[in-house]
Amino acid sequence: MILLTRKGERIMDDNFGVGLQNYLFEFPTNQVLSAIKNESIQQINTHAPYITINDFIVNYDGASIIIRIDYTIKENQSSATYELSIANMS
């Protein structure tokens, strides 16, 4: 939810969200991929403090931007992986 929500979209919290949709038409340079990663980590740390990010990878495979987050839920120490693939339109 944090990754796909645009800033200003959530009522009462204008700073919530990364807004990955904003990157769909940009060519995925290293600078763009780095911006996605940095903004995502900052938003997760701010709005989901109950999660520890173990690894965060953003790649471009020639057709899609792929985000992979390995994380641990602090309360019960359970680990999981979240992967999101977004087709790039550039």
Side-chain angles (χ1 to χ4, degrees):
M1 185 163 130
I2 293 172
L3 299 177
L4 297 175
T5 302
R6 292 181 182 181
K7 286 190 179 185
E9 186 175 356
R10 190 166 187 193
I11 297 172
M12 306 289 282
D13 193 348
D14 289 342
N15 292 318
F16 181 90
V18 174
L20 289 177
Q21 303 89 330
N22 299 333
Y23 296 99
L24 287 180
F25 296 98
E26 289 191 41
F27 188 77
T29 62
N30 286 336
Q31 184 177 359
V32 169
L33 298 178
S34 180
I36 291 170
K37 179 178 179 177
N38 293 337
E39 178 68 15
S40 299
I41 290 171
Q42 186 272 327
Q43 285 290 314
I44 291 168
N45 287 338
T46 299
H47 298 287
Y50 49 88
I51 291 175
T52 298
I53 298 171
N54 303 319
D55 197 16
F56 197 109
I57 300 168
V58 181
N59 285 321
Y60 179 64
D61 68 1
S64 298
I65 296 172
I66 301 161
I67 298 171
R68 179 187 164 122
I69 307 168
D70 295 325
Y71 64 94
T72 302
I73 298 173
K74 292 178 183 178
E75 182 178 311
N76 61 11
Q77 294 301 304
S78 64
S79 295
T81 298
Y82 175 78
E83 192 164 312
L84 176 66
S85 179
I86 301 172
N88 184 266
M89 304 300 205
S90 64

